[in-house]
Amino acid sequence: MIVVHLDGDIAVECADQFGGALPVPPSVEDRVAFLSSKLKNWVDPDSNYEKQIKFAVPTQKTESWMLAGISDNAHNWEEIESKSVLLLETGFVQGPGRAQHYRDVAVKLLGMSEKIAARCRSFQLFRDQFSQ
């Protein structure tokens, strides 16, 4: 199995650069469907392997999924500038150690997929690919 990841905040720029139409503003489903389609076209998998490729497209950034799993605050999960909010809410101070901080936060997400799926439609769409 191969998981291909692309943050969804690039959808409008991708449509402008590589062609394609997105509604304004694009919904979660619009971003995921558009980018998944573009990725599938670029990867161009053999039909024997097509179902083994899964596309991970967070609507904004991967941090939106992380934040949805660990935050106790109410956010508009699919629209906020999640990277800065995640770092703020998890106590990261600018400087070295950012990669380790992300790994530490990621460990806290184990077992949180239902919570994240309930808060982030884009994660739900990613997760649901595994049951198809």
Side-chain angles (χ1 to χ4, degrees):
M1 176 181 307
I2 297 173
V3 175
V4 180
H5 169 267
L6 182 65
D7 284 346
D9 59 328
I10 197 76
V12 173
E13 184 179 330
C14 184
D16 291 344
Q17 187 170 352
F18 299 107
L22 281 169
V24 179
S27 69
V28 170
E29 288 82 359
D30 295 331
R31 286 177 186 272
V32 171
F34 176 77
L35 289 172
S36 294
S37 173
K38 285 293 184 191
L39 288 167
K40 183 177 176 184
N41 187 316
W42 293 332
V43 171
D44 191 24
D46 179 279
S47 61
N48 294 325
Y49 302 105
E50 192 171 339
K51 291 191 182 288
Q52 295 176 346
I53 298 175
K54 310 300 180 191
F55 298 105
V57 184
T59 301
Q60 291 298 330
K61 296 176 173 63
T62 307
E63 287 85 355
S64 62
W65 291 357
M66 296 173 76
L67 187 62
I70 64 165
S71 181
D72 292 326
N73 296 314
H75 295 291
N76 190 343
W77 307 105
E78 302 276 19
E79 295 181 18
I80 63 169
E81 173 40 57
S82 54
K83 184 174 286 193
S84 58
V85 176
L86 175 73
L87 293 172
L88 178 69
E89 286 193 20
T90 57
F92 179 75
V93 178
Q94 208 55 4
R98 188 178 193 158
Q100 184 59 49
H101 182 77
Y102 270 72
R103 286 189 291 273
D104 294 343
V105 171
V107 168
K108 296 176 184 176
L109 297 171
L110 294 172
M112 300 292 247
S113 64
E114 289 303 317
K115 180 179 181 182
I116 298 168
R119 291 178 164 185
C120 293
R121 176 74 175 130
S122 59
F123 182 79
Q124 185 181 45
L125 292 168
F126 169 64
R127 183 202 61 190
D128 290 352
Q129 293 177 72
F130 294 93
S131 61
Q132 297 174 357

